[in-house]
Amino acid sequence: MKIGIIGTGYVGLVQGVILSDFGMDVLCMDVSEEKINLLKNGESPIYEPGLSEMMLKNIKAGRLHFTTSVKETVENCKVIFIAVGTPAQEDGSADLHYVMDVAKEIGTYINDYKVVVDKSTVPVGTGKKVKEVIKNIMKERNVDFEFDVVSNPEFLREGKAIRDCSTPDRIVIGTENERAQKIMKEIYDVFTINQTPFVFTNIETAEMIKYASNAFLAVKISFINEMALLAEKIGANVQEIAKAMGMDGRISPKFLHAGPGYGGSCFPKDTKAIVRIGTENDVELKVIKSAIEANEKQKHKMAEKIIEKMDGVKDKTITILGLSFKPETDDMRDAPALDIIKELVKNGAKIQAYCPEGMKEAQWRLKDIDKSIKYMINEYDAAKGANALVIMTEWAQFRAMDLERIYDNMEEHYFFDLRNVYSKKRDLMKKFKYYGVGIGGEN
């Protein structure tokens, strides 16, 4: 059984590489010739630890192939995963035109029974729309091939995608009949050696599970960030609060780490999308709306804190360490660094930034203020002549820096640790004007 993946972005490429690594014959398709040529040469267009090596191995083994032809993909593959982008529109709703374009192509080239799998994060009801589009195109062609539409949402964490895709917590499969369910189970049976549980449900429920999961995690992050703001005011320590909360089995310690706010390709987009779905169905999702507002507030509060503690940042140089929204990824989508840097520059600051993987993307995302930003070769170079240093993203190499060297490189010694990396190393931080997040009575 040949498997087709349409879309070689983050989700599609990881899915294709993992399935090929489990021994399946996979054809990945994308409209970008530049991207496909890179992939054919074993070069990954995205940064994800371990992905390039695994991809190259399966290309050499003859299990992983790439093409720009959607016709080839549809005609030769029995199962076709739709893994294209669903970016947020201005009103917060998901833009489905890429998904619908693929559905039209499938309807145009379908030549036998197919299982069409929505892997992209899509609003409830998208499965039905995809089905309708394919049927309408077939009707125009005067053909009537059988096919099924399945919802199979992804739950990948950037930076840990290989592990998450290889050993998922659960595999959610939304289907309308046993035939499609059987085929999907055949694909994913290779995961049962890890005792991965299956969740079989209808299409609408599967579509909703992804949004509900991401919205809940976003709420959890916004909650602990609000606790951090309060902890600073009353002299409490948010890390100790989070640790004690996490010991409660009903809560768990995951996603209880205070910081500058959430970002990335999922949480900002998916929370807005589910709020929009609620609005369209006359259900006001107040908790999720508040989490979105709290996240925006958190980013502003971090910039405000830096400006306030430094008595203004006009003509001052600020080192920013970490630009991507989290470690082990080059993804800058909705990264807190974008808003915080813009606010600092707006108040007159000059930025010296370093990120192991995020600088290339940051350069075009921050091009409107590029005259105020210098991109440096490492963390020590970035600290030269700086008035303040900000740890924005907790990359591993920032966890054990030579603080004496950092200190000597700086002009002034403000240290804003927005990930609380050094909060427990108070002996090392005494000489700095140190500020964490949610640590009352600090400095």
Side-chain angles (χ1 to χ4, degrees), residues 209-405:
I209 286 170
K210 174 59 187 281
Y211 279 117
S213 298
N214 279 353
F216 180 78
L217 295 175
V219 168
K220 203 171 179 183
I221 293 169
S222 288
F223 175 86
I224 201 63
N225 281 338
E226 290 207 318
M227 292 300 102
L229 295 176
L230 180 58
E232 287 185 13
K233 296 288 186 181
I234 64 174
N237 186 311
V238 76
Q239 287 182 297
E240 294 173 11
I241 293 167
K243 183 179 179 181
M245 287 176 62
M247 290 175 179
D248 188 324
R250 299 169 299 175
I251 297 174
S252 104
K254 294 181 178 180
F255 291 86
L256 281 181
H257 303 287
Y262 60 75
S265 61
C266 293
F267 290 178
K269 173 174 69 73
D270 293 352
T271 48
K272 290 174 186 174
I274 196 171
V275 166
R276 182 68 185 178
I277 293 167
T279 300
E280 290 169 354
N281 289 277
D282 296 319
V283 177
E284 186 180 8
L285 301 178
K286 289 185 177 182
V287 173
I288 303 171
K289 285 173 72 175
S290 295
I292 295 169
E293 292 167 8
N295 191 59
E296 292 305 308
K297 178 182 72 175
Q298 186 71 5
K299 292 183 283 188
H300 173 73
K301 285 289 185 183
M302 295 299 101
E304 188 180 78
K305 181 176 187 174
I306 294 167
I307 295 165
E308 179 188 321
K309 297 298 183 183
M310 294 183 69
D311 294 322
V313 294
K314 185 173 174 56
D315 297 325
K316 294 179 181 178
T317 299
I318 299 176
T319 298
I320 303 290
L321 298 184
L323 295 167
S324 54
F325 85 96
K326 63 181 288 188
E328 300 301 333
T329 181
D330 57 356
D331 197 343
M332 286 286 297
R333 285 174 286 184
D334 285 300
L338 295 172
D339 292 302
I340 294 171
I341 288 173
K342 286 177 181 178
E343 198 158 342
L344 293 174
V345 168
K346 183 181 176 182
N347 281 272
K350 292 175 287 185
I351 305 296
Q352 294 181 174
Y354 171 69
C355 182
E357 294 293 337
M359 292 195 290
K360 184 177 179 181
E361 188 173 338
Q363 286 173 15
W364 68 263
R365 289 192 181 273
L366 293 169
K367 62 183 177 182
D368 55 327
I369 55 170
D370 60 357
K371 291 181 181 178
S372 299
I373 305 175
K374 289 182 181 178
Y375 296 94
M376 316 305 277
I377 60 172
N378 58 44
E379 56 268 41
Y380 301 104
D381 186 46
K384 287 179 180 177
N387 300 96
L389 180 144
V390 180
I391 294 183
M392 192 75 68
T393 313
E394 67 280 29
W395 284 83
Q397 70 190 73
F398 302 151
R399 293 179 176 273
M401 294 187 295
D402 182 341
L403 296 181
E404 291 290 342
R405 184 178 172 189

Side-chain angles (χ1 to χ4, degrees), residues 143-194:
V143 297
D144 187 21
F145 297 106
E146 289 187 15
F147 70 96
D148 282 304
V149 174
V150 172
S151 176
N152 174 220
E154 55 82 20
F155 300 95
L156 304 183
R157 295 171 295 172
E158 293 187 37
K160 298 178 181 177
I162 297 294
R163 185 174 71 187
D164 288 349
C165 197
S166 302
T167 57
D169 293 327
R170 75 288 202 198
I171 296 170
V172 177
I173 298 173
T175 60
E176 291 181 322
N177 59 56
E178 288 187 9
R179 184 182 186 183
Q181 181 176 307
K182 183 180 178 183
I183 290 170
M184 293 302 295
K185 197 169 187 306
E186 184 181 339
I187 292 172
Y188 284 117
D189 262 344
V190 292
F191 293 85
T192 57
I193 193 170
N194 299 314

Side-chain angles (χ1 to χ4, degrees), residues 11-183:
V11 172
L13 184 58
V14 172
Q15 179 78 5
V17 170
I18 291 296
L19 291 178
S20 68
D21 201 56
F22 276 107
M24 299 176 206
D25 188 9
V26 179
L27 177 62
C28 292
M29 179 269 161
D30 201 287
V31 293
S32 170
E33 278 193 39
E34 182 183 358
K35 187 185 285 188
I36 291 299
N37 287 334
L38 275 176
L39 291 167
K40 283 181 177 179
N41 291 323
E43 298 177 47
S44 173
I46 60 172
Y47 175 76
E48 177 63 34
L51 183 63
S52 293
E53 296 83 356
M54 187 178 287
M55 182 175 72
L56 193 57
K57 179 183 78 172
N58 287 288
I59 291 171
K60 289 179 178 178
R63 293 188 294 265
L64 182 61
H65 316 274
F66 300 98
T67 182
T68 56
S69 172
V70 68
K71 182 176 185 290
E72 177 189 357
T73 307
V74 174
E75 289 182 347
N76 295 315
C77 297
K78 184 173 184 178
V79 179
I80 303 160
F81 285 84
I82 301 176
V84 294
T86 53
Q89 301 189 94
E90 285 188 17
D91 63 359
S93 62
D95 184 349
L96 293 178
H97 87 269
Y98 296 115
V99 173
M100 294 307 152
D101 286 348
V102 173
K104 290 174 185 176
E105 298 275 24
I106 292 171
T108 301
Y109 298 114
I110 188 171
N111 58 346
D112 200 351
Y113 173 74
K114 309 289 180 183
V115 177
V116 179
V117 185
D118 278 331
K119 197 69 180 173
S120 304
T121 300
V122 294
V124 176
T126 301
K128 285 184 178 178
K129 291 178 181 178
V130 167
K131 189 173 184 178
E132 186 178 326
V133 167
I134 296 172
K135 280 187 172 181
N136 287 340
I137 297 294
M138 283 200 298
K139 190 175 181 181
E140 291 174 10
R141 292 173 58 202
N142 292 317
V143 297
D144 187 21
F145 297 106
E146 289 187 15
F147 70 96
D148 282 304
V149 174
V150 172
S151 176
N152 174 220
E154 55 82 20
F155 300 95
L156 304 183
R157 295 171 295 172
E158 293 187 37
K160 298 178 181 177
I162 297 294
R163 185 174 71 187
D164 288 349
C165 197
S166 302
T167 57
D169 293 327
R170 75 288 202 198
I171 296 170
V172 177
I173 298 173
T175 60
E176 291 181 322
N177 59 56
E178 288 187 9
R179 184 182 186 183
Q181 181 176 307
K182 183 180 178 183
I183 290 170

